[in-house]
């Protein structure tokens, strides 16, 4: 099998030995996070996938599921800087990206950088803030830079935003437009812990001073070198065709499942195709493999597609969810 023909153009192929050596930090990182966090293994892996692909994550889950603790713990393990921004209706763009402050002693303006200048940023309840604030954050996510006054400032590298939404309480919220949702690499649903996990949470956290300290297990600069290897992971032509078939199925479901035709108003964009391939490569890296298998694609497809498929009014009336649609499409699309 010729890996040079199936990696990204201009990206050298990698060997299994390179991937095994470069991914040696993954298991120690998972173990260190597990010292504080109970369960949520999938959430941790999805955050690592976003870091390895230079992407961002949108989380949907009720309050109290350790979303903030997860990001804070990951940042501490990476020796990176963490910032949490609580989005509220009175928040201004300057509260996120920064602004110019007048210095009366010197008679000039100086920049004050906002909390977005961090490696990991938690945008808590992003749909609580008005459209201007959402746009300011999402522009920074896309451009990786912020302009304050006449000066442009580059954001730290790596830089990842994890935004949260409460799926229950929608009063006084500003729904993210589909075009902005599409900028998130993944939309992950955070569920309640199992009874066993919740008992463990009780044992660890039912105290006025729970142990939340972790040790840095890697330098955050290692993420950049790992990204370079992720780009060179082998993606077979058959797997590429499988990815394209899944995305095409969201746009033309009648070709494989006629009953879904009236349930989908709009399918995934080409950004979904690109992100599914990138995420599959990153997942292979986390498993210390130098090649992508169909399972990488299939397991990540729900998180890649759930915010990129628009349901019709008929689907909403029938109580059909995007998860139902994706599951049926994945069952119908032939796996190589």
């Amino acid at each position: 099998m010729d890996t040079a023909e199936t990696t990204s153009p201009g990206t050298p192929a990698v060997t299994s030995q390179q991937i095994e050596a470069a991914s040696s930090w993954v298991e120690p990182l998972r173990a260190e996070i597990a010292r504080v966090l109970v369960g949520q293994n999938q959430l941790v892996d999805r955050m690592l996938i976003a870091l390895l692909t230079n992407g961002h994550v949108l989380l949907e889950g009720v309050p109290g599921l350790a979303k903030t603790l997860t990001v804070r713990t990951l940042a501490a393990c990476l020796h990176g800087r963490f910032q949490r921004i609580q989005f509220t209706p009175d928040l201004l763009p300057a509260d996120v990206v920064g602004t110019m402050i007048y210095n009366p002693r010197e008679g000039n303006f100086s920049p004050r950088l906002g909390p977005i200048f961090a490696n990991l940023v938690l945008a808590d309840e992003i749909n609580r803030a008005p459209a201007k604030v959402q746009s300011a954050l999402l522009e920074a996510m896309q451009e990786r830079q912020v302009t304050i006054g006449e000066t442009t400032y580059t954001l730290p590298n790596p830089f990842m935003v994890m935004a949260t939404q409460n799926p229950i309480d929608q009063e006084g919220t500003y729904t993210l437009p589909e075009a902005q949702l599409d900028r998130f690499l993944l939309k992950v649903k955070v569920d309640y812990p199992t009874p066993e996990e919740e008992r463990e949470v009780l044992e660890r956290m039912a105290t006025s001073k729970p142990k939340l300290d972790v040790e840095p297990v890697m330098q955050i600069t290692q993420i950049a070198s790992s990204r370079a290897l992720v780009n060179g992971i082998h993606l077979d032509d058959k797997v590429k065709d499988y990815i394209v078939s899944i995305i095409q199925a969201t746009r033309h479901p009648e070709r494989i499942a006629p009953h879904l035709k009236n349930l989908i108003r709009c399918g995934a964009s080409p950004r979904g195709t690109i992100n599914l391939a990138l995420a599959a490569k990153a997942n292979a890296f986390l498993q210390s493999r130098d090649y992508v298998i169909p399972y990488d694609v299939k397991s990540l497809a729900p998180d890649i597609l759930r915010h990129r498929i628009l349901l019709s009014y008929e689907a909403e009336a029938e109580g059909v969810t995007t998860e139902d649609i994706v599951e049926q499409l994945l069952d119908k699309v032939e796996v190589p």
Side-chain angles (χ1 to χ4, degrees), residues 91 128 205 286 319 336:
L91 200 69
R128 290 283 177 201
M205 301 297 179
L286 294 180

Side-chain angles (χ1 to χ4, degrees), residues 90-125:
D90 61 346
L91 200 69
L92 299 174
D95 297 327
V96 175
V97 300
T99 187
M100 300 295 291
I101 302 296
Y102 181 70
N103 187 338
R105 178 176 296 178
E106 299 181 5
N108 59 11
F109 287 88
S110 59
R112 175 173 293 176
L113 304 183
I116 200 171
F117 286 86
N119 297 115
L120 281 83
V121 176
L122 177 65
D124 221 351
E125 294 190 284

Side-chain angles (χ1 to χ4, degrees), residues 82-306:
F82 167 76
Q83 287 282 7
R84 177 179 177 270
I85 308 172
Q86 180 64 54
F87 278 55
T88 56
D90 61 346
L91 200 69
L92 299 174
D95 297 327
V96 175
V97 300
T99 187
M100 300 295 291
I101 302 296
Y102 181 70
N103 187 338
R105 178 176 296 178
E106 299 181 5
N108 59 11
F109 287 88
S110 59
R112 175 173 293 176
L113 304 183
I116 200 171
F117 286 86
N119 297 115
L120 281 83
V121 176
L122 177 65
D124 221 351
E125 294 190 284
I126 187 175
N127 55 338
R128 290 283 177 201
K132 278 188 176 181
V133 180
Q134 294 176 3
S135 297
L137 173 68
L138 291 164
E139 182 181 2
M141 289 164 50
Q142 183 71 18
E143 304 298 332
R144 310 279 167 168
Q145 62 184 27
V146 169
T147 300
I148 302 174
E150 298 179 353
T151 307
T152 298
Y153 300 88
T154 303
L155 292 172
N157 184 30
F159 168 69
M160 184 183 78
V161 171
M162 191 174 83
T164 69
Q165 287 188 149
N166 184 344
I168 298 175
D169 184 11
Q170 297 300 320
E171 184 177 350
T173 61
Y174 302 81
T175 305
L176 284 170
E178 285 74 14
Q180 294 183 351
L181 282 173
D182 198 39
R183 295 181 185 274
F184 285 95
L185 174 77
L186 304 165
K187 181 181 179 183
V188 181
K189 288 207 166 182
V190 185
D191 208 349
Y192 291 109
T194 64
E196 295 77 16
E197 290 172 344
E198 194 150 10
R199 177 57 190 270
E200 182 64 24
V201 170
L202 178 63
E203 293 288 344
R204 294 191 191 184
M205 301 297 179
T207 173
S208 59
K209 195 175 181 181
K211 294 181 179 179
L212 304 177
D213 295 332
V214 293
E215 296 294 330
V217 295
M218 64 176 290
Q219 292 296 321
I220 201 163
T221 52
Q222 290 179 253
I223 295 295
S225 58
S226 296
R227 283 176 182 170
L229 291 176
V230 167
N231 291 333
I233 284 180
H234 176 62
L235 188 62
D236 190 80
D237 286 340
K238 290 182 179 180
V239 179
K240 291 180 181 178
D241 292 338
Y242 180 49
I243 292 172
V244 172
S245 296
I246 292 173
I247 301 299
Q248 288 289 321
T250 68
R251 303 171 192 164
H252 308 286
E254 69 279 359
R255 296 176 181 174
I256 59 172
H259 67 284
L260 296 180
K261 178 180 179 180
N262 297 325
L263 301 181
I264 299 178
R265 180 158 52 98
C266 184
S269 72
R271 188 180 278 135
T273 311
I274 296 168
N275 287 344
L276 185 52
L278 285 173
K281 287 185 176 185
N283 195 60
F285 179 89
L286 294 180
Q287 307 303 322
S288 298
R289 278 187 276 107
D290 63 334
Y291 57 91
V292 174
I293 60 175
Y295 176 77
D296 295 322
V297 176
K298 193 169 186 177
S299 63
L300 285 162
D303 295 328
I304 293 287
L305 297 177
R306 66 165 48 98

